[in-house]
Amino acid sequence: MYDPCGDDVDDLEDDLEVDLEDDLEDDDGVGEENSSQKPSRGPSLLPRLIQSRSEGRCIFVDYNVYGQPTGIGRVDMSSMLGSTVRRLVSILCNCWKEVPAAKKREIWEIMNKTFELDPNHKTKMLSHAAARFRNWKTYLTNNWVLKGIKERPDEFPPRKPKGYEKLIPDEDWKKFVESRISEEWLALRKKMQDVRAMNKYNHKLGRGGYVRAEAELEKQLGHQLNGFDRADLWSRARTDNKGELSEDAKEIKQKIDHYRELQEKGEWEPQGSEDVLTKALGTPEERGRVRGVGFGVTPTQFWNTPRPRSSKGKEKQILTSDVEQRFCEQEERIRKQEELVREQQDQIRKQQELFRQQQEAFHREQELFRRQQEELMRKMFQEQYSWRGSCGAPSGSNSGE
């Protein structure tokens, strides 16, 4: 049975900046025989990165103030992380929580040996790995399972992606395909697609994501962005190649301009997360994320972390681990408390089931005792009636006297 804890059902977050097609270095087709599709190139072997690692040379990765990787090293790291996850993690894991801890450590060790990583960002690195894992299974589902069955209905299971024939065991692939065409999973997929369709403000970022958009906007403005400017970044992310916004996004842009005008006049002042973008969108920030700045940035980081005011070329400040660690510890405590509540609820359900069984057993014993009593009374009545009948019968021994 499909476990919905795997949130890879076409529900990629608006801020997720991973272009899966680039990350996989695959085209969109399901096979080379279909002339209408481009032939699949297969997975990238990343020989340059592997050679650097074997020679003990780590690739430098720069970070912005929010702990997001930047620069050329970010692109290499994204490709390496996706490739590593696809090689090490079984597609039969319903969600990232099911991935063994040993596999997660191995992923981190491989990345840490290949790149100069900040050890304080291990948690974020694994969060990015979880996103790659979800994207990978979504890609397999859309482009190789559903599309493969549609184009070649007589072939089951459909073909695996080129280059992954040996990497994905046949039995695992068959089970994965069966899980993705089950009525339960398809119903869940439809539900999540309907939810995703409700998002009227889809961004138009490519693989560079918000990090690249931020760099381009900073270059255009001539200074580093701050919390006030995330509204500009949000708008830029929803601008197409022609420089146009959708009608829904235009409406939000007008509200952004309105609240900025109020702020300039002193008629309104932003308070923490209640800033220009939040007011324009009309909904508060969700727990654990910040809209318009990219994947992995938390509210604690964004609104409590001072931005550096250095000029171009000066190294950017890297977020220390203290605040992030406290936030992670708090989340861990909350997770453990939730697990404890679930365990207590399970225990209560078990006790209720046991009590119900005991009640049923008691009722059965009562019914059996009642029947035994009725049977005993019936026999006693029969014996008493038989005895009275034998005592009242006339004697024939003195009839002739």
Side-chain angles (χ1 to χ4, degrees), residues 248-283:
D248 292 322
K250 284 181 181 178
E251 183 179 348
I252 300 300
K253 183 64 170 62
Q254 291 173 356
K255 292 182 179 180
I256 289 173
D257 295 339
H258 170 69
Y259 281 104
R260 281 186 171 164
E261 183 178 352
L262 292 179
Q263 184 179 12
E264 290 174 358
K265 293 179 179 179
E267 298 177 6
W268 173 80
E269 188 69 25
Q271 299 292 332
S273 62
E274 192 78 3
D275 61 2
V276 171
L277 182 59
T278 301
K279 294 291 289 184
L281 291 172
T283 55

Side-chain angles (χ1 to χ4, degrees), residues 51-291:
Q51 181 179 357
S52 296
R53 184 178 63 199
S54 64
E55 295 175 353
R57 294 185 290 106
C58 293
I59 297 174
F60 176 74
V61 178
D62 196 8
Y63 293 89
N64 64 14
V65 69
Y66 298 129
Q68 295 171 308
T70 61
I72 299 177
R74 172 186 177 278
V75 179
D76 289 337
M77 187 177 71
S78 176
S79 297
M80 187 69 181
L81 182 60
S83 175
T84 303
V85 168
R86 293 191 292 275
R87 285 190 297 105
L88 296 183
V89 183
S90 170
I91 59 176
L92 296 184
C93 290
N94 287 320
C95 59
W96 186 250
K97 292 180 181 178
E98 292 185 4
V99 177
K103 288 293 184 182
K104 296 177 181 179
R105 284 196 299 270
E106 187 175 358
I107 291 171
W108 167 252
E109 290 171 359
I110 290 175
M111 298 300 295
N112 200 33
K113 290 178 180 178
T114 308
F115 301 92
E116 292 183 16
L117 302 178
D118 186 337
N120 295 323
H121 292 90
K122 179 180 178 179
T123 300
K124 281 195 174 183
M125 171 65 71
L126 293 179
S127 295
H128 280 276
R132 297 299 189 280
F133 180 59
R134 292 193 299 269
N135 287 357
W136 170 229
K137 295 208 298 179
T138 299
Y139 172 80
L140 291 177
T141 300
N142 293 339
N143 295 279
W144 295 91
V145 176
L146 301 181
K147 187 181 289 187
I149 291 175
K150 180 180 179 181
E151 298 192 357
R152 287 185 286 271
D154 297 332
E155 181 179 310
F156 188 87
R159 303 173 189 179
K160 305 174 192 176
K162 182 179 179 182
Y164 292 92
E165 295 88 351
K166 295 182 179 180
L167 187 62
I168 304 176
D170 292 340
E171 188 63 25
D172 287 3
W173 178 244
K174 183 178 180 181
K175 290 180 180 179
F176 179 77
V177 171
E178 290 173 345
S179 71
R180 295 299 160 138
I181 60 176
S182 66
E183 292 183 2
E184 181 183 8
W185 191 88
L186 290 175
L188 180 62
R189 180 175 186 263
K190 178 63 169 60
K191 178 181 177 181
M192 297 307 299
Q193 285 178 329
D194 292 341
V195 173
R196 187 67 179 86
M198 295 174 63
N199 183 5
K200 300 183 295 183
Y201 315 117
N202 296 305
H203 69 66
K204 303 181 184 300
L205 298 171
R207 192 179 189 184
Y210 276 98
V211 173
R212 186 170 66 184
E214 179 180 356
E216 292 174 352
L217 189 56
E218 285 180 344
K219 182 178 180 180
Q220 176 182 335
L221 297 175
H223 62 82
Q224 289 187 307
L225 300 180
N226 52 41
F228 182 86
D229 294 312
R230 78 179 179 119
D232 286 328
L233 193 57
W234 185 93
S235 300
R236 188 180 188 88
R238 283 146 187 85
T239 303
D240 60 22
N241 294 332
K242 297 180 181 180
E244 298 178 353
L245 292 167
S246 66
E247 292 301 321
D248 292 322
K250 284 181 181 178
E251 183 179 348
I252 300 300
K253 183 64 170 62
Q254 291 173 356
K255 292 182 179 180
I256 289 173
D257 295 339
H258 170 69
Y259 281 104
R260 281 186 171 164
E261 183 178 352
L262 292 179
Q263 184 179 12
E264 290 174 358
K265 293 179 179 179
E267 298 177 6
W268 173 80
E269 188 69 25
Q271 299 292 332
S273 62
E274 192 78 3
D275 61 2
V276 171
L277 182 59
T278 301
K279 294 291 289 184
L281 291 172
T283 55
E285 296 299 314
E286 295 181 11
R287 178 176 177 269
R289 60 175 295 209
V290 181
R291 292 171 292 190

Side-chain angles (χ1 to χ4, degrees), residues 305-316:
T305 302
R307 300 299 303 266
R309 301 184 180 278
S310 59
S311 58
K312 182 179 178 180
K314 186 177 180 180
E315 292 186 0
K316 293 184 178 181

Side-chain angles (χ1 to χ4, degrees), residues 319-330:
L319 176 67
T320 59
S321 63
D322 295 337
V323 174
E324 184 180 5
Q325 183 175 356
R326 286 197 299 271
F327 183 80
C328 292
E329 289 174 351
Q330 183 179 2

